[in-house]
Amino acid sequence: MRDKDDTIKAFYNSCRHRGAPLTDKTKGKVEALICPYHKWSYDLKGNLLSANGLSPEKRQHCKGNTNLIEITSSISNNMIFINLSENHEPLESYLGEYIDAIAKPHQIHKMRCIHSREYVLNSNWKLYVEVDMETLHTPCIHRDSIGKQPVEILEGDGNWVGVFHRNIFSPALKPNLRGSGFPFTEGIYGEALNGTHFCIILPGFFIVTAQDCMWWIQKTPISENQVQVNVGYCFPEETLKHPDFNTISQLYIERWNQVIEEDDWITEYQQKGLNNNVSGVYTEKEKVVQHLDNIIVAKVLGLPESDWLLRSTNE
Ligand code: FES
Ligand SMILES: [Fe+2]
């Protein structure tokens, strides 16, 4: 919720009466949140305004315990992060060098989302994180939409894993259209001028920053073999004013949609073969996938960070 004074707060979407969701919308404007069940209402800071059926005495008695339950949220480069974990490490230190090495050079704070959507896939969330970060499958699955896309592995402190694709023309267009895209984002600098960063902000926020645009694919696990996917496409604010914005942006959207459909398909397909408990091997070209998987295993087992870094290089 963004309040009138511009403060941002995140809450669990559960009424403090008997728990119904306060809304099923993902965006919109309201003066107050009103629960559809018995019409308890809350202001944009989560404070209880009215409580149908609750006597003044009982309300007094429950004081403070009837406001919405807030979730930690923080902003970095105009992106809002919601932290559902018990770990209350400040966002800046969680993101570490991602901010100076990638977010700022690519001018992420200027990106404006022009399209987003949400859907469910029948695959484990990790399969999608893996497919985001490997290029071995690219010529197999994305032959016409991407083609070959060599990458270099990035190093840097913080809870992210990334690769860099050195390119002259943005890879956000299909190979036969490269060079006919928008001008580069004003003010980009450093390596952001020379190519595209593909990163996972752990555990499942895939964010790609190219010289002219940005896109993300956020994965939220639902169960062992279902994941909710949220996709967003962004351009820098000055690009939205380009005289041919509608025509040119359509070329990006078609390419993004196609690549994402191809990855949706292959992750659901892969999932079907994973129920037989067979083991496999990583190739040398999947070092980042292996690294990610090592991090996940280590976090699940509670191994110290030094341990998983060692495992990543040795195994
Ligand atoms: S559950 Fe929300 S008002 Fe009753
Ligand atoms: Fe892919």
Side-chain angles (χ1 to χ4, degrees), residues 128 131-132 134 137-138 141-142 146 259-260 262-263 266:
Y128 217 116
V131 84
D132 282 338
E134 59 109 326
H137 80 288
T138 318
I141 303 298
H142 308 298
I146 304 181
V259 171
I260 289 170
E262 289 162 349
D263 281 334
I266 197 60

Side-chain angles (χ1 to χ4, degrees), residues 119-128 219-229 268 271:
Y119 54 95
V120 172
L121 284 182
N122 292 317
S123 68
N124 183 281
W125 69 279
K126 294 189 290 297
L127 303 190
Y128 217 116
K219 275 74 63 177
T220 310
I222 296 172
S223 67
E224 170 191 343
N225 47 21
Q226 271 205 323
V227 58
Q228 178 167 309
V229 182
E268 286 194 321
Q271 179 69 52

Side-chain angles (χ1 to χ4, degrees), residues 266-302:
I266 197 60
T267 47
E268 286 194 321
Y269 182 79
Q270 182 189 7
Q271 179 69 52
K272 293 179 191 164
L274 292 181
N275 302 321
N276 299 323
N277 212 15
V278 294
S279 61
V281 287
Y282 299 97
T283 69
E284 283 74 14
K285 294 191 171 163
E286 292 152 296
K287 281 203 183 321
V288 183
V289 173
Q290 191 176 0
H291 179 58
L292 267 167
D293 292 344
N294 281 331
I295 293 173
I296 293 165
V297 169
K299 295 230 177 206
V300 170
L301 298 179

Side-chain angles (χ1 to χ4, degrees), residues 27-58:
K27 52 184 152 186
K29 283 188 185 190
V30 287
E31 289 293 316
L33 285 165
I34 302 171
C35 178
Y37 199 169
H38 314 91
K39 305 288 183 202
W40 281 31
S41 65
Y42 305 85
D43 69 15
L44 305 187
K45 292 195 181 348
N47 300 313
L48 182 72
L49 291 174
S50 66
N52 180 22
L54 193 66
S55 68
E57 299 74 41
K58 189 145 188 208

